[in-house]
Amino acid sequence: MGRVLVMLTAAAAVVACSVATVMVRRRVRRRRKWRKVVGLLKDLEESFETPLGRLRQMVDAIAVEMQAGLVSEGGSKLKMLLTFVDDLPNGSERGTYYALHLGGSYFRIIRVHLGGQRSSLEVQDIERHSIPTSLLNSTSEVLFDFLASSLQRFIEKEGHESISSQDVKRELAFTFSFPVKQTSLSSGVLIKWTKGFAISEMAGEDIAECLQGAVDRRGLDIHVAALVNDTVGALSYGHYHDPDTIAAVVFGTGSNACYLERTDAIIKCQNPRTTSGSMVVNMEWGNFWSSRLPRTSYDIELDAESLNSNDMGFEKMIGGMYLGDIVRRVILRMSQESDIFGPISSILSTPFVLRTNSVSAMHEDDTPELHEVATILKHLGVPNVPLKVRKLVVKICDVVTRRAARLAAAGISGILKKLGRDGSVGEGRRRSSDKQMMRRTVVAVEGGLYSNYRMFREYMDEALRDILGEDVARQVVIKAMEDGSSIGSALLLASSHSVRTISNI
Ligand code: ADP
Ligand code: MG
């Protein structure tokens, strides 16, 4: 009996020992894996870093490239496109105007009524729809017929009091969020598609004429009277409310900026024919490139697999279309290099499956257990991850978005530098006076990324203060404009109309 007991005790001890050994081994393995993940995270943070010195170099590079793009056609990756907009709306406009805005993800149609004073601006109707993905690689005929049919439905909603019953054609501004070489305020040719669009048969075609043709084929009483880049629409809206507005930036599916430039600085344009002495320049800043941009292996892969590789490098680091995909690539790489996310998810390998609105939802998840993160990961085929892994995902969102927001701030500061409004001494000469240096400057900002992603906004504001310094930053007002691109285009059309009417008298 005694021997049996001894043997049993010994066996139990052996089992206990092996269990303990297995547990210790597992723990050691887990720790080793986690250490590897910590290493990967550290590498990630380093490669996405945007220290102040580097941001300042970017600010300089942007100002230099802006200058180069103004001097000669093709002089810079920044196209610095002429817009033929020399007068911005000021509040005195009157009438009823329409705008159709083709963005990267949405199209919008609006009708505004202007009563001759800022306070009487009335958005009478606004529609916002997702662009069907089938349109992205369709033909120009399909695209423009789709837009015309949407317009038709929009105006059919109007009651008997509609403008057409007064026997006047509806005046419409076509707000277009892709690069166009404008030939006048109302005409221009597509340079290239961006943001995942690949519609054939568009090269060399006048965009406004394409829409007018589709509208005419449907017998609609609409005159496509202006072709307006979305940034220019946002600037017009900003200027309508606040004449200190001199630039506008869009942070939506893609990103772009425009600003008001002196015509004598637009050297590549011999005869700008403006009365105001200035013209809005569409920078097409999504194509900005500098060796100082913190380009990572994720950016290189994303670019290589995109429809427009070697193009739009800046946009691919800051545009809403891309941030989600960068985060997806990071999570995928981590799940390949360690098994903290469990078996590799095939869903996670699908490009663009993680949208930037999910990134902001995870980033701003304030539940103690990070429920939102867990739900989104589950949809990506990554269920049941422990809390510390969910925290890691939040950190990845933070790293990617922080870089984007800081680069965006460098972009804005580059414009301010070019205009001598960044508080620095530029181009080897002193600015006219300290007073001018500190002039109030308003930058209109529009787009779903900016308006819906609080952390993006906060990081951008913080970086602007870092780059400009508190004193100058206090003079720089970043003003969010909901639907500014669409409303502003209608305002711009109204103001061009009043100018034309006056000069015709
Ligand atoms: P468009 O680019 O078509 O003009 P928006 O300006 O509304 O449209 O921007 C839409 C883009 O903004 C989306 O594609 C997405 O990238 C981004 N976005 C929208 N909502 C959010 C959100 N909640 N968080 C982060 N990004 C968002
Ligand atoms: Mg937009």
Side-chain angles (χ1 to χ4, degrees):
M1 186 66 190
R3 269 179 68 183
V4 172
L5 198 63
V6 169
M7 279 169 70
L8 277 177
T9 314
V14 169
V15 171
C17 268
S18 15
V19 169
T21 313
V22 169
M23 281 172 64
V24 166
R25 263 203 212 125
R26 267 200 205 145
R27 201 175 304 147
V28 168
R29 223 180 299 141
R30 268 206 307 267
R31 278 217 189 111
R32 214 177 285 149
K33 260 191 268 167
W34 189 249
R35 227 177 289 139
K36 169 138 202 207
V37 171
V38 171
L40 288 171
L41 181 63
K42 197 161 160 272
D43 291 348
L44 182 81
E45 285 181 286
E46 277 171 15
S47 61
F48 276 73
E49 227 167 32
T50 47
L52 189 53
R54 193 166 191 163
L55 290 182
R56 291 216 167 104
Q57 288 171 334
M58 277 191 48
V59 172
D60 292 345
I62 288 170
V64 166
E65 289 297 317
M66 287 171 78
Q67 182 64 26
L70 290 174
V71 169
S72 63
E73 210 64 69
S76 163
K77 284 202 136 214
L78 290 182
K79 286 208 152 42
M80 307 299 282
L81 299 169
L82 305 182
T83 62
F84 298 89
V85 173
D86 58 343
D87 261 319
L88 290 167
N90 57 21
S92 64
E93 295 75 14
R94 287 175 181 277
T96 300
Y97 292 88
Y98 295 75
L100 166 67
H101 175 188
L102 183 69
S105 307
Y106 299 97
F107 72 95
R108 304 154 178 87
I109 307 177
I110 60 153
R111 183 176 73 245
V112 296
H113 181 75
L114 311 168
Q117 295 174 34
R118 286 194 184 103
S119 57
S120 58
L121 165 66
E122 184 192 352
V123 177
Q124 293 182 327
D125 195 5
I126 182 158
E127 280 185 10
R128 185 175 191 263
H129 304 283
S130 293
I131 298 170
T133 45
S134 61
L135 278 187
L136 301 192
N137 49 12
S138 64
T139 63
S140 81
E141 200 183 326
V142 172
L143 171 70
F144 286 102
D145 186 58
F146 171 82
L147 295 176
S149 72
S150 308
L151 272 173
Q152 183 164 15
R153 272 196 306 277
F154 185 85
I155 59 176
E156 277 171 1
K157 284 190 308 184
E158 290 174 2
H160 297 298
E161 294 304 304
S162 83
I163 190 165
S164 62
S165 64
Q166 299 155 24
D167 212 18
V168 185
K169 261 203 170 193
R170 295 174 178 84
E171 294 285 302
L172 176 116
F174 187 15
T175 317
F176 196 68
S177 308
F178 303 88
V180 164
K181 186 170 173 51
Q182 302 243 181
T183 39
S184 71
L185 179 63
S186 58
S187 58
V189 171
L190 176 74
I191 295 174
K192 63 187 175 188
W193 287 110
T194 55
K195 297 175 271 203
F197 275 66
I199 294 171
S200 55
E201 310 156 24
M202 289 285 295
E205 293 217 46
D206 187 298
I207 301 295
E209 263 176 30
C210 288
L211 182 62
Q212 185 70 66
V215 160
D216 292 346
R217 279 193 290 281
R218 286 182 173 263
L220 307 181
D221 232 355
I222 294 176
H223 174 220
V224 183
L227 179 60
V228 184
N229 182 263
D230 55 341
T231 57
V232 182
L235 177 59
S236 302
Y237 192 42
H239 197 270
Y240 181 87
H241 286 294
D242 188 335
D244 285 342
T245 312
I246 46 91
V249 189
V250 167
F251 299 111
T253 309
S255 184
N256 187 19
C258 73
Y259 74 106
L260 202 54
E261 180 60 279
R262 293 189 334 268
T263 38
D264 60 4
I266 312 176
I267 294 162
K268 66 181 175 185
C269 178
Q270 298 288 313
N271 184 14
R273 266 194 259 135
T274 67
T275 43
S276 65
S278 52
M279 188 191 278
V280 177
V281 174
N282 167 13
M283 290 174 64
E284 285 299 330
W285 88 359
N287 202 34
F288 170 69
W289 190 251
S290 154
S291 59
R292 301 312 299 151
L293 279 169
R295 196 177 203 212
T296 67
S297 55
Y298 304 104
D299 302 301
I300 292 169
E301 281 170 18
L302 183 148
D303 179 61
E305 292 170 27
S306 68
L307 287 177
N308 54 347
S309 56
N310 289 321
D311 210 14
M312 307 301 277
F314 193 47
E315 177 164 274
K316 285 173 183 166
M317 289 183 179
I318 62 177
M321 174 169 170
Y322 301 102
L323 298 187
D325 206 52
I326 299 174
V327 170
R328 177 191 70 83
R329 285 169 191 278
V330 176
I331 298 176
L332 180 63
R333 171 106 44 101
M334 282 197 175
S335 81
Q336 286 162 341
E337 294 191 9
S338 77
D339 59 3
I340 54 160
F341 291 98
I344 295 172
S345 152
S346 59
I347 302 176
L348 199 52
S349 309
T350 315
F352 297 107
V353 68
L354 178 61
R355 314 291 288 243
T356 304
N357 48 2
S358 297
V359 170
S360 68
M362 295 197 287
H363 197 180
E364 294 169 2
D365 184 353
D366 54 8
T367 62
E369 296 296 311
L370 298 176
H371 277 306
E372 198 60 39
V373 179
T375 309
I376 290 167
L377 287 177
K378 199 169 159 200
H379 284 134
L380 293 172
V382 186
N384 307 323
V385 290
L387 184 59
K388 70 175 176 180
V389 176
R390 283 176 252 157
K391 285 186 178 162
L392 173 75
V393 170
V394 174
K395 183 69 194 166
I396 296 170
C397 297
D398 186 73
V399 167
V400 173
T401 296
R402 185 167 184 269
R403 180 186 73 162
R406 289 173 69 81
L407 295 181
I412 292 175
S413 306
I415 301 176
L416 298 178
K417 185 175 181 84
K418 171 71 182 68
L419 293 174
R421 293 186 185 225
D422 67 328
S424 73
V425 178
E427 295 160 35
R429 63 193 156 88
R430 223 167 215 293
R431 295 291 163 203
S432 48
S433 71
D434 280 359
K435 211 167 153 206
Q436 163 143 10
M437 255 162 45
M438 304 306 288
R439 223 159 78 194
R440 180 174 180 269
T441 298
V442 180
V443 178
V445 175
E446 212 242 34
L449 178 69
Y450 185 83
S451 53
N452 297 318
Y453 198 166
R454 178 177 51 83
M455 292 301 289
F456 179 88
R457 289 196 298 273
E458 287 181 6
Y459 278 139
M460 195 182 97
D461 285 347
E462 180 188 67
L464 274 171
R465 285 196 302 274
D466 287 352
I467 296 170
L468 299 172
E470 291 290 340
D471 285 346
V472 176
R474 222 171 288 129
Q475 298 299 316
V476 176
V477 182
I478 304 291
K479 247 192 198 169
M481 312 261 135
E482 185 108 358
D483 292 311
S485 303
S486 321
I487 302 171
S489 301
L491 299 176
L492 184 60
L493 174 55
S495 81
S496 75
H497 234 261
S498 52
V499 169
R500 205 171 55 211
T501 315
I502 291 163
S503 59
N504 283 349
I505 292 171

